[in-house]
Amino acid sequence: MDKHQQQQQLFLAKSTRQRCNEWIFRDVPSDITIEVNGVAFALHKFPLVSRSGRIQKLVAEHRDSDMLRVELVNVPGGAESFELAAKFCYGINFEITSFNVAQLYCVSDYLEMTEEFSKDNLGSRTEEYLEIVVCKNLEMCVEVLQQCESLLPLADELKIISRCIDAIASKACAEQIASSFSRLEYSSSGRLHMNRQTKCEGDWWIEDLSVIRIDLYQRLITAMKCRGVRPESIGASLVNFAQKELTKKCSLWNPSGLTKIDLGSTDHERLVVETIIGLLPVEKLAVPISFLFGLLRSAVMLDCSISCRLDLERRIGSQLDIATLDDILIPSFRHSGDGTLFDVDTVQRILVNFSQQDDSEGDMDDESVFESDSPRSPSQTALFKVAILVDNYLAEIAPDANLKLPKFLGIAETLPEHARTIHDGLYRAIDIYLKAHPGLPDEDRKRLCKLIDFQKLSQEAGAHAAQNERLPIQSIVQVLYFEQLRLRNALCCSYPDDDHKPAVHHQSWRISSGALSAAMSPRDNYASLRRENRELKLELTRMRMRLNDLEKEHVCMKRDMVKSRSRRFMRSFSKKIGKLSLFGHSSSRGSSSPSRQSYRTDSKVIERTCASTD
């Protein structure tokens, strides 16, 4: 690498000498040699002293020497800038452009080429070009800012950077205002409104800003915010800048990318991510939520500061209802001791942020809760969407054998109970987890199944759960009970001519008799539970057979009822229904079960219905 740099310097020195021979006075011998960055310029004192205060002082210090050799250190822009300044001293014309004005401005300050030593000196010429030409053109300001990157900190001290930044911010704001006015039009009713279908042409500068260095870009975006540039435009610029800077590395924006990267070479990427997070507009939807998740993945991968990640998680949580499953599947880039595939902890914090935000917004909508005809509040709709998203996420992470039960429960229990109107998705996720963790203890399986409200299962999910051997026996009995209620409702609803239908109370039923046996001793309570479990297991087998028979009889009875509605047939049907019982025997405490009471009621209602048909 050093050899290459030496060759480059030799080539530059040779080309500079060749250029000097073209414009230097050949008939007058040089009396001063100035060396800049290893390049020697054989020049004459008089042209330089008449324009440059710095060289004038150097010559005055060595007045006695006929041949003076001076080395200039830290010349802004190096030998190339000094060559242009020397040409200006000799009166040789050259063009000032946006690509060299910053160098000339800095080198004129370094050489003290001001009006004090000569009229229309290099300093005033560059100042005029910067003010009249560059600051009126946004693209030229960007080009000057690029040139200033190699001229720091002098370019900043001379306020070249601040002037260009203010000019860009003002120009962008003015163009947005002009673009907004061009989209104004009159409606058919004569009212003035903005046509949102017309494409906004005031943001063409977004692509140009992506070439600026990150520290200057940060100052520029801050100035734009102060000037009032639209948050959507700021967000679009941030997205464009981040994609150009961060996609240079392998998998920063790949949701499924698990490629390990050398963290020692990612200081620049870490700085970019942290800076962009700090520049994000506070307004919602100013940037796509997929971009926020991309930043979050990058922040986790690059080990950015905790404050940056927490800020991102809060932003994502406030608009989680528009996220997709691919967004929240954040890989575990930093493999922890548990070895899970996905970063479950981060997703749980995002859900907590969403729940807190939802609660705070929900308090504002208390008045609309009592209006039955009013539509649901946006927060409630968002809650339903996030519930579906969480259930799908649980189903995706459930097959991970290293996923511990507390983490799975932590995700499932984050949302309130009223968030799910149907529990099919939650049941599916829990079933996948039970299948992937066959050695799960009975107590843990019961904890999982307590999350499911079996009354909120669809008919298909209920049928699957009734035959699912991975569920605890108590859960299966609950499923069968609610499936029986649903089937009896379907049977009763199949008689359109009946004025009275059996009243079925859809109330939750607890398998455990803890409330009833609170006054019993622990030993008696345990014995009672064991006896009840044995009875439930026997009854479960009977119930499966009875449900199948009942379904067959239902089909036959509907066909027979078309042919005959005799009293004998209905009485026989009433007797069959009356024989069915969910628990079979009364409990040891002498209390009749809820299902037995409901069946007696059904028999009486059916007998009254039969009498009315006769």
Side-chain angles (χ1 to χ4, degrees):
M1 189 70 179
D2 295 337
K3 198 172 188 181
H4 178 68
Q5 288 179 347
Q6 290 176 359
Q7 290 177 352
Q8 229 176 6
Q9 287 181 353
L10 290 174
F11 176 77
L12 178 62
K14 185 177 180 181
S15 61
T16 303
R17 290 193 191 97
Q18 289 176 352
R19 290 198 304 269
C20 285
N21 292 332
E22 296 175 359
W23 56 267
I24 206 78
F25 297 155
R26 295 184 181 180
D27 51 347
V28 180
S30 63
D31 53 3
I32 183 172
T33 302
I34 298 179
E35 185 176 344
V36 180
N37 293 349
V39 180
F41 294 87
L43 303 172
H44 304 85
K45 294 179 182 178
F46 177 75
L48 300 179
V49 169
S50 63
R51 295 276 190 177
S52 172
R54 189 184 190 98
I55 296 179
Q56 187 180 104
K57 295 173 184 176
L58 291 174
V59 170
E61 293 174 0
H62 302 83
R63 188 173 299 176
D64 299 334
S65 58
D66 295 333
M67 185 63 187
L68 181 61
R69 187 176 184 90
V70 180
E71 181 181 3
L72 297 180
V73 183
N74 298 328
V75 177
E80 185 178 355
S81 296
F82 179 80
E83 181 185 357
L84 291 175
K87 281 185 176 182
F88 183 85
C89 293
Y90 277 84
I92 299 174
N93 293 327
F94 62 88
E95 184 180 4
I96 299 178
T97 66
S98 58
F99 293 101
N100 62 21
V101 65
Q103 296 176 349
L104 292 173
Y105 198 101
C106 292
V107 79
S108 66
D109 179 79
Y110 177 85
L111 295 175
E112 300 177 18
M113 300 176 69
T114 62
E115 296 295 305
E116 181 183 351
F117 301 97
S118 176
K119 188 178 180 181
D120 291 335
N121 210 344
L122 184 60
S124 60
R125 291 282 188 89
T126 53
E127 168 67 27
E128 184 181 6
Y129 184 85
L130 194 65
E131 181 68 25
I132 297 177
V133 180
V134 173
C135 290
K136 304 298 183 183
N137 188 289
L138 191 148
E139 291 177 325
M140 296 181 74
C141 286
V142 173
E143 293 168 355
V144 171
L145 282 180
Q146 282 187 278
Q147 302 303 317
C148 288
E149 294 174 2
S150 60
L151 300 172
L152 294 172
L154 183 58
D156 206 6
E157 295 173 0
L158 297 176
K159 300 187 182 303
I160 302 176
I161 293 177
S162 59
R163 291 167 66 180
C164 289
I165 287 177
D166 290 341
I168 292 174
S170 301
K171 190 72 174 174
C173 185
E175 290 191 4
Q176 278 199 348
I177 294 174
S179 176
S180 299
F181 276 120
S182 66
R183 294 161 61 195
L184 291 175
E185 59 182 23
Y186 286 97
S187 63
S188 57
S189 60
R191 298 182 62 182
L192 191 64
H193 73 286
M194 184 174 294
N195 186 358
R196 300 189 178 274
Q197 295 180 352
T198 306
K199 185 179 178 182
C200 181
E201 302 293 343
D203 297 341
W204 57 267
W205 44 264
I206 290 176
E207 187 71 22
D208 296 335
L209 301 187
S210 60
V211 299
I212 304 175
R213 205 169 72 176
I214 182 63
D215 53 342
L216 302 180
Y217 180 78
Q218 181 182 20
R219 293 173 57 179
L220 178 57
I221 294 299
T222 304
M224 284 186 166
K225 287 182 177 180
C226 295
R227 292 282 185 175
V229 176
R230 285 194 299 264
E232 296 80 7
S233 302
I234 298 291
S237 178
L238 292 172
V239 172
N240 187 69
F241 187 88
Q243 288 177 343
K244 285 201 171 184
E245 288 294 321
L246 298 180
T247 50
K248 296 174 184 177
K249 293 295 178 181
C250 50
S251 59
L252 284 174
W253 294 91
N254 184 5
S256 60
L258 297 174
T259 308
K260 293 184 179 180
I261 60 175
D262 183 11
L263 295 179
S265 63
T266 56
D267 292 339
H268 173 68
E269 284 75 16
R270 186 183 299 110
L271 176 63
V272 170
V273 171
E274 291 180 351
T275 302
I276 290 177
I277 293 173
L279 293 174
L280 289 172
V282 296
E283 292 81 2
K284 288 184 180 181
L285 306 180
V287 294
I289 194 170
S290 58
F291 174 71
L292 295 179
F293 275 104
L295 280 179
L296 183 58
R297 290 190 187 93
S298 301
V300 173
M301 180 190 294
L302 298 170
D303 196 22
C304 293
S305 64
I306 296 177
S307 59
C308 288
R309 282 182 274 179
L310 293 179
D311 183 34
L312 269 180
E313 290 169 7
R314 283 192 294 269
R315 290 176 181 273
I316 292 173
S318 66
Q319 46 189 316
L320 187 61
D321 55 302
I322 61 174
T324 63
L325 180 60
D326 290 336
D327 290 332
I328 64 173
L329 287 175
I330 304 173
S332 182
F333 295 108
R334 299 230 175 226
H335 296 287
S336 55
D338 54 13
T340 54
L341 295 177
F342 298 99
D343 192 348
V344 181
D345 296 332
T346 298
V347 175
Q348 185 175 3
R349 288 195 298 270
I350 292 174
L351 287 171
V352 170
N353 285 318
F354 170 78
S355 300
Q356 293 174 348
Q357 171 258 343
D358 181 65
D359 292 339
S360 63
E361 290 185 0
D363 295 339
M364 301 173 61
D365 299 329
D366 288 339
E367 296 179 0
S368 63
V369 173
F370 302 99
E371 298 176 10
S372 58
D373 296 334
S374 62
R376 290 173 177 170
S377 63
S379 61
Q380 190 69 14
T381 304
L383 194 61
F384 292 155
K385 292 180 180 179
V386 173
I388 297 174
L389 181 66
V390 169
D391 291 344
N392 292 333
Y393 177 75
L394 290 172
E396 285 292 327
I397 66 174
D400 187 357
N402 295 322
L403 181 63
K404 303 301 181 184
L405 181 63
K407 289 195 173 185
F408 187 90
L409 289 172
I411 297 291
E413 294 174 342
T414 305
L415 298 179
E417 293 182 0
H418 64 274
R420 296 178 175 90
T421 56
I422 187 169
H423 278 219
D424 285 16
L426 183 60
Y427 165 71
R428 172 173 167 264
I430 291 176
D431 184 45
I432 294 175
Y433 187 85
L434 292 175
K435 186 176 181 180
H437 301 78
L440 204 64
D442 291 340
E443 291 299 323
D444 291 341
R445 290 193 296 143
K446 291 178 182 177
R447 286 178 62 191
L448 271 175
C449 292
K450 282 182 180 178
L451 298 173
I452 307 173
D453 186 349
F454 293 101
Q455 293 185 87
K456 294 182 179 180
L457 291 181
S458 65
Q459 186 173 358
E460 294 77 9
H464 184 276
Q467 302 177 4
N468 192 345
E469 298 179 354
R470 289 183 288 271
L471 298 181
I473 188 67
Q474 292 88 345
S475 299
I476 296 179
V477 173
Q478 287 189 58
V479 174
L480 289 174
Y481 174 71
F482 293 123
E483 285 300 303
Q484 185 189 36
L485 293 181
R486 181 184 287 119
L487 183 59
R488 290 172 59 230
N489 273 341
L491 285 172
C492 296
C493 292
S494 64
Y495 308 126
D497 296 335
D498 296 344
D499 296 330
H500 304 284
K501 295 182 177 63
V504 181
H505 301 281
H506 290 275
Q507 56 187 0
S508 52
W509 172 75
R510 299 177 61 90
I511 296 296
S512 173
S513 57
L516 297 176
S517 59
M520 299 174 62
S521 65
R523 179 176 299 177
D524 294 339
N525 197 0
Y526 179 73
S528 175
L529 289 175
R530 290 188 59 187
R531 182 168 57 255
E532 186 175 342
N533 276 339
R534 286 197 299 268
E535 294 175 359
L536 288 173
K537 289 179 180 178
L538 292 174
E539 190 62 25
L540 175 63
T541 306
R542 300 191 190 101
M543 278 301 303
R544 288 179 177 173
M545 299 176 62
R546 291 172 184 171
L547 286 175
N548 291 332
D549 294 339
L550 189 59
E551 290 178 356
K552 294 178 182 178
E553 291 178 4
H554 177 223
V555 175
C556 296
M557 285 186 292
K558 287 182 68 176
R559 185 172 57 249
D560 293 338
M561 285 182 63
V562 177
K563 300 177 180 178
S564 172
R565 292 178 176 271
S566 66
R567 183 173 183 177
R568 182 186 308 169
F569 175 78
M570 294 303 298
R571 284 179 177 174
S572 64
F573 173 72
S574 174
K575 291 178 181 179
K576 289 180 181 179
I577 293 295
K579 291 179 181 179
L580 287 176
S581 174
L582 181 62
F583 302 103
H585 305 284
S586 61
S587 64
S588 59
R589 290 178 292 276
S591 60
S592 59
S593 62
S595 62
R596 177 167 298 180
Q597 294 176 0
S598 63
Y599 282 136
R600 286 200 207 100
T601 305
D602 293 343
S603 299
K604 295 178 180 179
V605 172
I606 292 173
E607 288 178 1
R608 288 198 301 268
T609 307
C610 295
S612 63
T613 56
D614 290 339

